[in-house]
Amino acid sequence: MKSRFILFFLFLSFIAQAQVKISVGQPYGVIDAQNKFYFNRGSEILTVKLRKREVIIQKLNSEKLAFEKISVYRDFPEGFNLEHIVEFSDRYYIFYSLWDRKAEMEQLFYREIDFDKGTLKPDEKLLVQVHGKVSGDLISRGWYSFSVVNKFDLEFSKNDDKLLVHYRLKPQIKNDSKSYDVIGMHVFGKNLERVWDEEVTMPYTEKKMNNLDYSVDSQGNAYILTTVYNDETTNEKKRNDNQANYHIELLRMSGKNNKIVITPVTVGSKFINKVYLFEVSDSYMICAGFYSNLPYRNAADGIFSFKLTKEGDLVDSRNYEIPLEVLNMYISEKAQRRNEKKEEKDKAEFEDLELRELFIDENGGVLLVGEQYYIQAHTYYNSNGSSRTYYTYHYNDLLVTKINESGQLEWMKKLPKRQTGTSGRGSMSYKHMAADGSHYFLFLDNERNLELTPDRFPAVYRDGAEGFLTAYKVSDKSGSVDKVSITSTRDVLGLPVYQFQTSRILPIDKNSFVVEVYKKKKQDVLIRVDLGK
């Protein structure tokens, strides 16, 4: 599920010379779980942790840095699959799917969490019922045991009072050139009351189109942003008169008679990478993402954005090239020379760039955050001729771009980092926060990068190793950057900590946050960071 509208938390307000106060709480029993989710209201913290069929809810306190209570539930039905745990309209829900084999129906249920009590409300409620199977991701549950997960996706409106649940029915025809996708669209109000629902047949075959993003507005209209090929070849590299072999269309649905309003969007010769679609106001939607001048989907030459009215009219469309001086920061001299040669042919790109987040501020300005991410396969051979393959995951530089409400480029910044591991994301990537007119990007860094300059290549932080919790502070107005090192994981007031993940950081007040970490001996502990003003 993509990130929601930006929340300007008034916390984490500090500069490079600010004093940082760190407090460590009393340890409490660890919960080993495949999935962990964290929510807070002021000093109250709610955690939801899933371990097989168990759902464990904990209440913690960020002022006392203490464990308060725990509730364990083992009454979820056999065969259930977790879909989402979310906050929606100031309430908290666990969504899970369950396949009814006898009736051949896919079902989406939810149970509400009572935040104040730290408990689950007793009754499960059926939200969506689908005749037939829903497409998802096939995962292994063990020896010859498989399950389909991630069947239902959720999108939220700007003011958090509309929820879109969407899914794709498993196709009856296996030939993509003859099969038309059927997308289930269910819109609900802030109390999960039904607004409308339809199973919408797409206007083109599966081969002809590729859905990029979904959204819902405050009036309950649902949107699909899709690429549509201009011919039957589906060749992304093909050009016609120097134009890309596909175009973008916005599909709008209001739940009235399965009607789809289609708006074509012209991108000329640009090859579009991943994009996000958001509601800006009661009148406009905005779409933004990366484009390439070459047909490689994970590289970017620049940023594009366009506005559309709720009626589907294209209002404004703009492109912003990534400057060579940005591409050449924090890379080797050899790589710089290679970029300079490519730039002569208009082929210098930001490689392996993924669009991670898109935020809209209260004035309609846009902040795009891209992260350089790729996976490498490594195969080696034994003397007996057998082979083994393992994978490394790389989370590197950030590209942060600010576009103001008038569509003008305010600034574009490259924030260097190098993170590598062998077990997925782990402690890598970053956490974004915003406060007092600045953006903060927190991540674990190698201590050798404390004094990194633009002409130096960053040292690598390795997942699971000791690291420094580090922040880039970026001014929303000017794009000026300060770098701050907060604490080392090997010595937090004399305590070495483990499983430090930036995704677990929770804001408490305008200058503080807490994070749950593992301290060994089967114990977790809360760390609170109070940042000087």
Side-chain angles (χ1 to χ4, degrees):
M1 182 175 57
K2 66 172 181 263
S3 296
R4 300 198 205 178
F5 222 74
I6 186 169
L7 301 176
F8 279 92
F9 293 117
L10 297 180
F11 80 105
L12 199 63
S13 176
F14 66 106
I15 59 176
Q17 294 77 27
Q19 208 135 34
V20 176
K21 177 184 176 183
I22 299 176
S23 306
V24 178
Q26 293 298 312
Y28 50 91
V30 66
I31 301 296
D32 293 320
Q34 299 98 326
N35 299 287
K36 297 184 178 183
F37 301 83
Y38 297 81
F39 304 93
N40 80 289
R41 286 179 180 170
S43 63
E44 291 186 280
I45 298 173
L46 177 87
T47 77
V48 185
K49 301 175 181 180
L50 278 78
R51 182 170 57 198
K52 295 182 179 180
R53 287 183 63 185
E54 284 187 335
V55 175
I56 302 105
I57 297 178
Q58 294 172 299
K59 288 296 293 288
L60 310 172
N61 188 285
S62 65
E63 292 181 352
K64 301 176 182 178
L65 296 180
F67 164 84
E68 292 187 341
K69 65 173 295 187
I70 186 171
S71 302
V72 181
Y73 298 87
R74 301 182 178 90
D75 58 344
F76 280 73
E78 184 177 358
F80 87 100
N81 287 309
L82 174 69
E83 295 288 338
H84 304 278
I85 299 179
V86 299
E87 177 186 359
F88 171 57
S89 196
D90 297 322
R91 294 163 72 177
Y92 302 82
Y93 301 96
I94 298 177
F95 291 91
Y96 59 94
S97 59
L98 187 65
W99 169 248
D100 186 335
R101 186 180 301 275
K102 184 177 180 180
E104 294 189 344
M105 300 186 73
E106 194 65 71
Q107 303 162 105
L108 180 66
F109 291 91
Y110 71 88
R111 287 181 68 174
E112 187 173 355
I113 302 169
D114 188 319
F115 188 101
D116 295 328
K117 296 179 180 178
T119 59
L120 268 181
K121 295 187 177 181
D123 298 328
E124 67 177 10
K125 295 184 179 180
L126 179 64
L127 188 69
V128 174
Q129 196 170 44
V130 184
H131 293 275
K133 291 187 175 182
V134 172
S135 297
D137 299 323
L138 185 67
I139 64 169
S140 174
R141 295 288 193 186
W143 189 254
Y144 288 107
S145 176
F146 299 91
S147 182
V148 179
V149 298
N150 301 327
K151 303 172 187 175
F152 296 89
D153 289 310
L154 308 183
E155 314 294 340
F156 303 88
S157 64
K158 172 188 172 183
N159 57 8
D160 214 27
D161 66 354
K162 292 294 188 300
L163 166 66
L164 168 64
V165 178
H166 60 93
Y167 55 88
R168 174 178 175 262
L169 287 176
K170 189 173 182 179
Q172 299 296 316
I173 302 173
K174 294 185 179 181
N175 188 335
D176 286 356
S177 64
K178 296 180 179 179
S179 176
Y180 289 79
D181 266 341
V182 178
I183 307 296
M185 311 286 282
H186 298 253
V187 177
F188 300 92
K190 62 182 180 180
N191 295 313
L192 294 184
E193 72 278 13
R194 176 185 176 275
V195 176
W196 63 267
D197 54 68
E198 292 280 356
E199 288 188 345
V200 182
T201 302
M202 293 294 96
Y204 309 101
T205 64
E206 291 183 61
K207 184 177 181 180
K208 185 86 171 176
M209 67 187 299
N210 177 37
N211 293 344
L212 300 173
D213 199 18
Y214 295 77
S215 189
V216 62
D217 67 25
S218 302
Q219 289 76 46
N221 298 307
Y223 301 83
I224 302 176
L225 194 69
T226 184
T227 54
V228 181
Y229 289 101
N230 297 331
D231 58 26
E232 298 300 325
T233 66
T234 66
N235 182 1
E236 294 178 355
K237 298 182 180 182
K238 181 179 178 181
R239 292 176 182 262
N240 294 314
D241 297 326
N242 204 34
Q243 303 293 302
N245 191 37
Y246 56 83
H247 63 278
I248 290 179
E249 291 186 0
L250 182 70
L251 314 181
R252 181 172 65 91
M253 291 138 283
S254 61
K256 299 178 180 178
N257 302 321
N258 211 339
K259 183 180 179 181
I260 301 175
V261 177
I262 299 177
T263 302
V265 178
T266 302
V267 294
S269 61
K270 309 301 182 185
F271 290 87
I272 301 302
N273 295 330
K274 188 173 181 181
V275 298
Y276 279 163
L277 177 69
F278 270 89
E279 181 182 21
V280 178
S281 68
D282 291 340
S283 303
Y284 295 101
M285 305 290 291
I286 192 166
C287 176
F290 299 134
Y291 72 83
S292 174
N293 294 325
L294 296 173
Y296 304 112
R297 299 192 66 81
N298 287 329
D301 274 292
I303 314 295
F304 77 92
S305 71
F306 55 83
K307 288 183 179 180
L308 301 112
T309 67
K310 297 294 181 67
E311 290 72 33
D313 297 323
L314 181 64
V315 176
D316 191 16
S317 179
R318 302 186 185 225
N319 298 325
Y320 317 90
E321 195 84 6
I322 301 174
L324 180 62
E325 54 266 30
V326 171
L327 293 175
N328 277 349
M329 294 180 69
Y330 307 104
I331 60 175
S332 66
E333 292 183 2
K334 181 179 180 180
Q336 290 180 19
R337 291 193 297 269
R338 186 166 61 245
N339 278 340
E340 289 167 1
K341 290 181 179 179
K342 287 183 177 180
E343 185 66 11
E344 293 174 0
K345 301 178 182 179
D346 198 26
K347 292 183 178 181
E349 296 184 308
F350 203 122
E351 296 180 352
D352 301 304
L353 190 64
E354 296 284 342
L355 179 58
R356 294 300 193 198
E357 298 178 288
L358 185 152
F359 301 110
I360 310 293
D361 66 29
E362 58 187 6
N363 297 317
V366 180
L367 184 84
L368 292 95
V369 184
E371 183 175 37
Q372 192 174 49
Y373 167 74
Y374 59 93
I375 303 173
Q376 284 183 310
H378 307 267
T379 302
Y380 63 90
Y381 297 88
N382 297 323
S383 58
N384 60 7
S386 62
S387 64
R388 181 183 175 188
T389 300
Y390 70 96
Y391 299 89
T392 53
Y393 300 81
H394 301 264
Y395 293 80
N396 293 342
D397 300 337
L398 302 178
L399 181 70
V400 186
T401 304
K402 176 63 186 295
I403 302 168
N404 67 22
E405 62 272 19
S406 300
Q408 298 173 327
L409 178 66
E410 290 281 328
W411 47 261
M412 187 182 294
K413 296 294 178 178
K414 184 179 183 181
L415 306 180
K417 65 181 181 70
R418 291 292 184 278
Q419 299 170 309
T420 300
T422 58
S423 301
R425 175 176 173 176
S427 61
M428 299 181 290
S429 198
Y430 71 96
K431 175 79 172 184
H432 169 267
M433 299 175 179
D436 296 337
S438 293
H439 300 277
Y440 297 86
F441 299 89
L442 289 93
F443 63 101
L444 287 179
D445 199 9
N446 189 309
E447 64 179 314
R448 288 188 288 166
N449 295 327
L450 295 180
E451 302 296 332
L452 186 68
T453 56
D455 58 343
R456 289 174 52 198
F457 195 79
V460 175
Y461 164 77
R462 299 196 179 279
D463 181 30
E466 298 170 350
F468 267 83
L469 178 60
T470 303
Y472 285 117
K473 176 187 176 183
V474 185
S475 168
D476 183 71
K477 183 176 181 179
S478 68
S480 62
V481 180
D482 289 317
K483 187 176 182 180
V484 181
S485 293
I486 298 172
T487 184
S488 168
T489 60
R490 71 169 176 265
D491 186 3
V492 183
L493 296 183
L495 176 71
V497 299
Y498 309 89
Q499 300 178 12
F500 196 119
Q501 298 185 9
T502 51
S503 60
R504 297 180 182 179
I505 292 174
L506 289 172
I508 300 306
D509 58 37
K510 65 179 181 179
N511 291 306
S512 307
F513 67 84
V514 298
V515 60
E516 183 183 55
V517 296
Y518 181 55
K519 65 169 292 291
K520 291 197 170 180
K521 296 184 178 180
K522 300 292 184 181
Q523 292 178 322
D524 279 341
V525 67
L526 283 179
I527 294 175
R528 175 170 175 147
V529 179
D530 294 285
L531 302 154
K533 298 182 180 180

